[in-house]
Amino acid sequence: MITVKDLHKSFSKVEILKGISAEIQKGEVVVVIGPSGSGKSTFLRCLNLLEQPTSGEIMFEGEQITAKNHNINATREKMGMVFQQFNLFPHKSVLENITLAPMKVRGQSRSDAEKVADELLKTVGLQDKRNAYPSQLSGGQKQRIAIARALAMQPHVMLFDEPTSALDPEMVGEVLEVMKKLAENGMTMVIVTHEMGFAREVGDRILFMDGGRIVEEGAPDQIFSNPSHPRTREFLSKVL
Ligand SMILES: Nc1ncnc2c1ncn2[C@@H]1O[C@H](COP(=O)(O)OP(=O)(O)OP(=O)(O)O)[C@@H](O)[C@H]1O
């Protein structure tokens, strides 16, 4: 579904991504782990061109989205993204937050958009917050609404950029549960996280990044029980 070839990204002449190549298959849950500053978020943000790669190629569903004439807005509609800081619209209700883009961007009628929103609120377990405002929600609830909002666009892939890093520890579990449910329902997901237990349990494949490169990748059991690269071993010995 996504093919990345020799991706490089520099910020003011400092090279952050140093040649990343990766494949993400439909229905796969790929978890990106690695030390702080290794380029995980930059890599993820390149996938929907929130960051413009300095060089390299990204193919999404057979289209080269890095081509100069590519319409990235149409592609972004198919790539849901969830950020560390929920980014909900503070002056809109939960329902409005979820229905806004489907109505504006996809031209859905209000009643259709609200029907979808109600289903998604059920999925994330927050039907009772339909008319609440973001300021009335806990961090975990905000993030679950942010996930529902992204899903309302019926994306083909979901990108998660450290979705639990801004949460109080007691709220991490409820967000991971929702993500786990999505994975079980076959959603294609690319997830940057420091939650190693989740990575091991839910990931189909782990990419370990260090210094702007994918140093090692493999099945969770292999990476966590029997990492082959010394940097992976060193990293995991510190975080597990
Ligand atoms: N917009 C930017 N402008 C300049 N430098 C940036 C920008 N975004 C990221 N960087 C730098 O790129 C490097 C990699 O950052 P990135 O956020 O991708 O790492 P990460 O592996 O996700 O780290 P963490 O786990 O701490 O979030 C860091 O040194 C960061 O300061």
Side-chain angles (χ1 to χ4, degrees):
M1 175 182 261
I2 305 177
T3 305
V4 180
K5 281 189 197 152
D6 200 23
L7 182 70
H8 290 254
K9 173 68 185 174
S10 300
F11 291 110
S12 36
K13 297 196 180 152
V14 180
E15 194 172 49
I16 300 299
L17 300 183
K18 300 177 179 165
I20 296 214
S21 295
E23 280 277 346
I24 290 132
Q25 310 291 342
K26 191 169 184 310
E28 203 180 18
V29 177
V30 174
V31 184
V32 186
I33 63 169
S36 190
S38 57
K40 304 180 297 296
S41 295
T42 304
F43 168 56
L44 192 78
R45 292 166 62 84
C46 281
L47 294 181
N48 61 358
L49 303 194
L50 278 187
E51 297 293 355
Q52 190 64 42
T54 309
S55 67
E57 237 178 56
I58 301 171
M59 303 281 294
F60 174 64
E61 296 186 326
E63 277 188 87
Q64 197 192 324
I65 65 171
T66 35
K68 283 217 159 47
N69 58 358
H70 178 77
N71 173 6
I72 189 59
N73 290 332
T75 301
R76 284 209 187 110
E77 286 174 31
K78 300 177 199 156
M79 300 174 121
M81 188 152 192
V82 175
F83 302 87
Q84 189 174 334
Q85 305 290 347
F86 334 111
N87 296 350
L88 296 178
F89 301 112
H91 303 297
K92 297 205 179 290
S93 71
V94 160
L95 190 67
E96 289 165 337
N97 263 282
I98 299 174
T99 55
L100 192 71
M103 285 168 59
K104 273 210 160 160
V105 181
R106 303 191 84 207
Q108 253 181 18
S109 69
R110 178 177 301 277
S111 68
D112 282 354
E114 290 188 355
K115 224 181 276 169
V116 173
D118 282 327
E119 277 306 307
L120 289 170
L121 283 170
K122 237 185 262 173
T123 305
V124 301
L126 290 171
Q127 302 99 299
D128 56 329
K129 300 295 179 192
R130 190 179 195 266
N131 299 312
Y133 283 81
S135 61
Q136 300 169 306
L137 304 175
S138 70
Q141 290 171 336
K142 281 184 204 167
Q143 194 58 300
R144 284 148 70 194
I145 296 299
I147 294 173
R149 181 177 61 173
L151 290 172
M153 290 295 282
Q154 297 174 350
H156 299 188
V157 58
M158 286 283 285
L159 310 176
F160 289 87
D161 191 3
E162 302 196 27
T164 59
S165 295
L167 299 178
D168 290 338
E170 74 268 25
M171 291 171 188
V172 169
E174 65 192 68
V175 172
L176 295 181
E177 270 310 306
V178 169
M179 293 168 64
K180 191 174 159 192
K181 194 149 77 170
L182 288 184
E184 285 166 359
N185 289 338
M187 176 60 81
T188 310
M189 296 160 74
V190 187
I191 304 165
V192 172
T193 186
H194 292 281
E195 295 291 334
M196 296 301 144
F198 174 85
R200 184 166 194 166
E201 186 191 345
V202 178
D204 293 313
R205 194 149 51 88
I206 308 293
L207 306 184
F208 171 69
M209 281 185 68
D210 189 37
R213 294 191 170 87
I214 296 173
V215 168
E216 182 169 357
E217 65 173 279
D221 278 349
Q222 184 254 307
I223 297 285
F224 287 103
S225 303
N226 192 19
S228 58
H229 197 283
R231 280 297 293 137
T232 322
R233 283 201 288 273
E234 186 189 343
F235 171 74
L236 290 175
S237 72
K238 285 184 192 151
V239 299
L240 289 181

